[in-house]
């Protein structure tokens, strides 16, 4: 039972059943079974996220796609280029778009304004572009709520207009100062030939996430 053994935070704090499901998904992001059980739980409560998870899983597994890459087309941010000329794929894509358009603001309220969502996969944001200072400060908090797979870091800060989310490009170089991660002192850095490589360092501290710098 995916609901068992996920009802507490480190330190003994109590979490809601919804939070427990999300934490379980974040801990095992490739496991669609947990997502579908969560979708059933949401359906029982009339939550539209349940349908969105289910339809996006179908789109991911059954939809015909012709390539990969960050594709926005100002409608459904996605890391796959789907063939919307194929009827079944087009129907799934359209339903995903309709649900997301209605509930996007609610489902992304925990993201700072300076974060752009570049892709949704199987019901959750999977790819974001984020200022490095925001990531360093909020990464662990965000990863409890979203099963992110790809993070594009840049050196920009400040607030973006909502309609401009996700359009800026990542920085090609991060300075050594950006590698001073909160809660991770220099003495904790591993002895490794690539310890001064920012990309390697980020992927060491947050395994399973692809970083683009």
């Amino acid at each position: 039972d995916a609901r068992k053994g996920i009802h507490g935070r480190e330190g003994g704090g109590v979490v809601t059943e919804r939070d427990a499901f999300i934490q379980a998904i974040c801990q095992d992001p490739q496991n669609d079974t947990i997502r579908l059980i969560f979708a059933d739980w949401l359906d029982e409560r009339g939550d539209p996220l349940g349908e969105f998870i289910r339809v996006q899983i179908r789109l991911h597994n059954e939809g015909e796609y012709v390539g990969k890459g960050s594709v926005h087309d100002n409608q459904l941010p996605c890391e796959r280029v789907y063939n919307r000329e194929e009827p079944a794929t087009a129907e799934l894509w359209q339903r995903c778009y309709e649900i997301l358009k209605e509930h996007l603001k609610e489902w992304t309220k925990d993201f700072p304004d300076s974060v752009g969502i570049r892709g949704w996969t199987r019901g959750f944001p999977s790819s974001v572009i984020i200022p490095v200072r925001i990531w360093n400060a909020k990464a662990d908090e965000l990863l409890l709520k979203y099963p992110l797979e790809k993070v594009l870091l840049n050196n920009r800060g400040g607030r973006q207009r909502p309609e401009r989310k996700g359009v800026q490009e990542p920085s090609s170089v991060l300075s050594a100062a950006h590698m001073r991660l909160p809660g991770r002192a220099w003495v904790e850095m591993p002895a490794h030939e690539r310890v001064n490589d920012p990309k390697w360092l980020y992927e060491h501290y947050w395994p399973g996430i692809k970083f683009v710098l």
Side-chain angles (χ1 to χ4, degrees):
D1 188 338
R3 304 187 191 196
K4 293 181 180 178
I6 54 175
H7 295 286
R9 297 185 191 273
E10 290 185 18
V14 176
V15 298
T16 66
E17 192 167 7
R18 183 190 185 96
D19 289 342
F21 271 121
I22 292 173
Q23 287 182 29
I25 291 167
C26 291
Q27 290 166 10
D28 191 3
Q30 302 307 316
N31 187 339
D32 281 347
T33 299
I34 300 176
R35 295 183 191 231
L36 290 170
I37 293 173
F38 183 42
D40 289 342
W41 184 89
L42 292 166
D43 287 345
E44 292 169 1
R45 290 153 180 79
D47 191 319
L49 180 58
E51 181 187 1
F52 185 66
I53 292 172
R54 199 181 310 283
V55 176
Q56 267 227 308
I57 286 176
R58 286 192 59 199
L59 179 64
H60 184 83
N61 293 335
E62 302 172 20
E64 180 179 317
Y65 68 98
V66 293
K68 295 184 178 181
S70 295
V71 178
H72 306 285
D73 69 17
N74 298 316
Q75 294 180 308
L76 180 65
C78 193
E79 290 270 325
R80 286 182 169 184
V81 184
Y82 286 98
N83 178 12
R84 287 157 58 193
E85 299 298 321
E86 196 281 315
T89 299
E91 182 178 355
L92 291 169
W93 190 97
Q94 181 63 28
R95 186 55 186 149
C96 287
Y97 164 64
E98 291 170 352
I99 300 171
L100 187 61
K101 181 181 179 182
E102 183 175 354
H103 300 283
L104 177 64
K105 185 175 181 180
E106 175 190 355
W107 292 345
T108 59
K109 62 184 178 183
D110 291 326
F111 280 108
D113 288 344
S114 54
V115 177
I117 298 174
R118 296 174 66 95
W120 290 75
T121 303
R122 292 153 43 240
F124 293 87
S126 58
S127 175
V128 298
I129 184 164
I130 181 171
V132 64
R133 63 177 181 81
I134 301 295
W135 176 262
N136 288 354
K138 295 185 175 291
D140 293 338
E141 175 185 338
L142 290 173
L143 291 174
L144 286 175
K145 300 176 180 179
Y146 303 102
L148 298 178
E149 300 174 10
K150 184 177 181 181
V151 174
L152 295 85
L153 296 172
N154 66 34
N155 285 330
R156 296 173 176 81
R159 299 169 67 88
Q160 301 174 40
R161 296 170 59 189
E163 63 269 25
R164 299 291 292 172
K165 281 190 175 184
V167 301
Q168 70 275 53
E169 293 303 317
S171 168
S172 59
V173 179
L174 295 179
S175 69
H178 290 124
M179 295 162 61
R180 297 181 181 273
L181 307 181
R184 296 172 169 85
W186 282 100
V187 294
E188 296 173 344
M189 289 187 177
H192 191 281
E193 62 182 8
R194 295 185 62 192
V195 71
N196 292 317
D197 178 345
K199 177 178 171 61
W200 179 88
L201 189 65
Y202 277 93
E203 291 180 350
H204 171 81
Y205 284 128
W206 289 285
I209 296 178
K210 178 181 179 182
F211 286 89
V212 179
L213 281 65

